[in-house]
Structures are given as structure tokens and as C-alpha cells.
Amino acid sequence: MNFKKGIIVTWVSIVLNIGLFAIKYWAGIVSHSVALVADAWHTLSDSVSSLAVLLGLKFSNMPADQRHPYGHGRAELIASLIVGILLAVVGFNFLADSIIKFKEQAAFNFKPLAIWVTVISIVVKEAMARYSIYVGKNIHSNSLKADGWHHRSDAISSLVILIGIFIGSKIWWMDSVLGIFVSFMIFYTTYGIMKDTISVLLGENIEKEMKDEIESIGLNIRNNLFLDPHDFKIHHYGNHSELVFHIRLPGDYSLAKAHAIASEYEALIEDKYSLEVTIHIEPVE
Ligand SMILES: [Zn+2]
Ligand SMILES: [Zn+2]
Ligand SMILES: [Zn+2]
């Protein structure tokens, strides 16, 4: 089953985040680094984001039931929203930290231990980002891809902290300015996640290529008979989509004949796309 791959990725993310939390917290205490302890708590909170993805994937794969006849596919979109909101919070925190650092002209004073932990964190987070985005694309999971972008944002913000450690002593404003830049990058990523998710939730129009393809399928059903497909409505429920549209048939056709044409048309479209198709028939005089 495809979604199992997604479940495995989210579990790996959760376990690695808890592991990183433990290392950062320990190193932060040992090296008396407030910044590293704060980063440790952030890393622990990242598990919540992956947990939302995990629950979204599990729910969205539950079969349709009496109360939810269209399945539970949209649960995954809700998970994407949660991931997006958590990422926005990360962006705000990073922006606030960077502005405070700029005002106080403070440079982080990291010990070698803290530097090593930060390097490990960058490598692990970027690996998690690649893994999540790769599998997310593979199983068409927006929430998993979004979580991958969160991992990448974490890697980049740690990289900025690292840059600050090495050149902060020479150019004091460098890491705060980079930090502000990175927080806007995080906001932009959040915007992308939210825009895609909300657009699908609100309901999108049928794509033009699909409409054209459906029109050309219609031309082959009865030679020379123009079915005039129109009024397309498509509803996406995660892994399940419903398509409804109208066709026109001669008014003197028997009900059986008209129904046979509509059924054949529905079947041909369902063969090509994973859709549930319903056709409404109108008579032309
Ligand atoms: Zn994070
Ligand atoms: Zn109509
Ligand atoms: Zn029928």
C-alpha cells in the first residue's frame, strides 16, 4: 500500500526529532547555551508537525463510511494546514529572535560542542527534508511535502546560526540580517503551502486539458453525434474525485438509449481518470 511509505517517513521524522531534541538539550545544558536549549524545544515541537501529517495520512486512508460517503481524503489537507500554521510560527519566532539580536548587537557565543551539534542537526534535517519531499511527491501527499519544507527551513535557519558563530565576531549584524532574510523565506514557503491547500479545499475548476480530453472522448461515442458536454463540476476529496457535467441528446431518443450513451461516456472517462463520473442529460428538439 502506497500510503504506508508516508507513515514510515513521518515515524522516522518523529523519532529523529526526538533524538535531536535530546542531543541539543544535553549539549545546551552542558555548554550553558540558552540558544541551543531554545532550539532543542523547537526541535521537539517539530514532532507535532510530523504527528499531524501522520494522523492526516491515517485518517485520509480510512474507507468511505455512512457519515462520510466521499471518503476521508480531505483529512490530509487539514494536516497540511496545521503544518503550514506551525511553520508560520517558526518564521515569526526566527524573525523576532533576529530583530532582538540586531538591536542588542549580541553575537552567539557557541562552544565547539554546540557547533558540532548544530552541524549534525543541519545534516539530519536536510536529509529528512529530502526524504519527506521525495516520498511526498511519490505518494502525492501535500502534507508530507510541506513537512519536508519545514525540515529544510530548520536546516537553513541552523545554517544561519552557524554562519553567525563564525563571522559574527567580524561583522556583528551579519547573522541577524541573514536571520531576517531566512524568516521571510520561511513565510514565503508557508504562503506556498497554504495557497495550494486552501485552493483545493475551496474547490478548483476543472483543468482545461482534462475538459478538452473529455470533449474529444465524447466525439468517439456515436459517430457524428455532438454530445455538447458542458457545465463541468469537479470535487476533490483527497484520493477520490467526483465529476458531474451535462450533455445534450436528441429529444426523441428513448430513455434506455440515452442512458446507454451516458453510461458509455461515464465508463470511458472513468477508464482514463480516477474519477467518479455522473452525467446529466438534456434533450435538444
Ligand atoms: Zn522546525
Ligand atoms: Zn446543461
Ligand atoms: Zn445509470
Side-chain angles (χ1 to χ4, degrees):
M1 190 54 195
N2 225 351
F3 92 107
K4 287 226 170 85
K5 278 195 249 173
I7 301 283
I8 293 168
V9 180
T10 48
W11 271 117
V12 169
S13 288
I14 292 168
V15 170
L16 283 178
N17 271 325
I18 292 173
L20 281 176
F21 160 76
I23 297 171
K24 284 177 182 176
Y25 191 80
W26 166 76
I29 296 293
V30 170
S31 61
H32 305 287
S33 166
V34 181
L36 201 54
V37 172
D39 194 38
W41 287 114
H42 168 139
T43 306
L44 189 65
S45 75
D46 287 341
S47 303
V48 177
S49 179
S50 300
L51 190 66
V53 177
L54 178 76
L55 292 176
L57 285 173
K58 287 211 162 175
F59 270 117
S60 64
N61 264 278
M62 276 165 42
D65 54 35
Q66 198 76 38
R67 287 178 61 201
H68 306 104
Y70 301 105
H72 301 80
R74 281 183 180 167
E76 214 238 312
L77 293 169
I78 297 166
S80 296
L81 281 185
I82 294 172
V83 173
I85 291 165
L86 288 173
L87 190 56
V89 172
V90 171
F92 273 115
N93 283 337
F94 203 60
L95 182 63
D97 286 350
S98 303
I99 291 171
I100 290 167
K101 245 194 291 175
F102 187 80
K103 276 189 181 157
E104 296 178 349
Q105 304 195 6
F108 279 140
N109 184 17
F110 270 39
K111 308 244 162 43
L113 176 65
I115 293 172
W116 277 113
V117 169
T118 306
V119 170
I120 290 169
S121 175
I122 292 168
V123 173
V124 171
K125 285 279 187 178
E126 177 57 24
M128 282 157 71
R130 279 162 195 247
Y131 184 32
S132 302
I133 293 169
Y134 172 76
V135 176
K137 278 185 182 157
N138 208 286
I139 66 169
H140 304 290
S141 163
N142 274 327
S143 58
L144 197 54
K145 277 189 276 179
D147 204 34
W149 278 103
H150 182 147
H151 295 327
R152 179 158 289 159
S153 304
D154 287 342
I156 294 171
S157 39
S158 294
L159 192 64
V160 168
I161 292 172
L162 204 60
I163 292 170
I165 294 167
F166 285 111
I167 59 172
S169 50
K170 297 186 194 81
I171 317 166
W172 66 269
W173 48 265
M174 187 54 115
D175 59 334
S176 29
V177 170
L178 275 176
I180 291 167
F181 183 73
V182 168
S183 48
F184 279 103
M185 187 210 76
I186 295 173
F187 289 142
Y188 184 72
T189 307
T190 309
Y191 167 75
I193 293 167
M194 294 303 230
K195 195 188 72 167
D196 290 352
T197 308
I198 290 171
S199 172
V200 176
L201 271 178
L202 291 178
E204 291 174 320
N205 213 339
I206 185 170
E207 280 166 37
K208 192 174 180 312
E209 298 92 72
M210 188 188 255
K211 198 165 147 183
D212 291 346
E213 182 63 34
I214 287 171
E215 276 171 9
S216 74
I217 290 172
L219 291 174
N220 300 323
I221 292 183
R222 292 287 185 276
N223 284 333
N224 300 324
L225 181 64
F226 181 47
L227 299 174
D228 191 16
H230 63 282
D231 255 358
F232 291 86
K233 290 189 181 70
I234 193 159
H235 300 281
H236 299 289
Y237 298 90
N239 39 26
H240 170 93
S241 299
E242 298 267 342
L243 173 70
V244 180
F245 65 95
H246 303 182
I247 59 171
R248 294 196 171 96
L249 290 174
D252 56 357
Y253 273 25
S254 73
L255 181 56
K257 192 174 178 184
H259 180 252
I261 291 172
S263 297
E264 192 183 332
Y265 202 175
E266 286 168 353
L268 284 171
I269 297 166
E270 283 168 4
D271 274 352
K272 194 166 163 78
Y273 300 100
S274 60
L275 287 170
E276 198 74 41
V277 185
T278 307
I279 296 176
H280 167 85
I281 306 167
E282 289 157 14
V284 273
E285 303 312 320

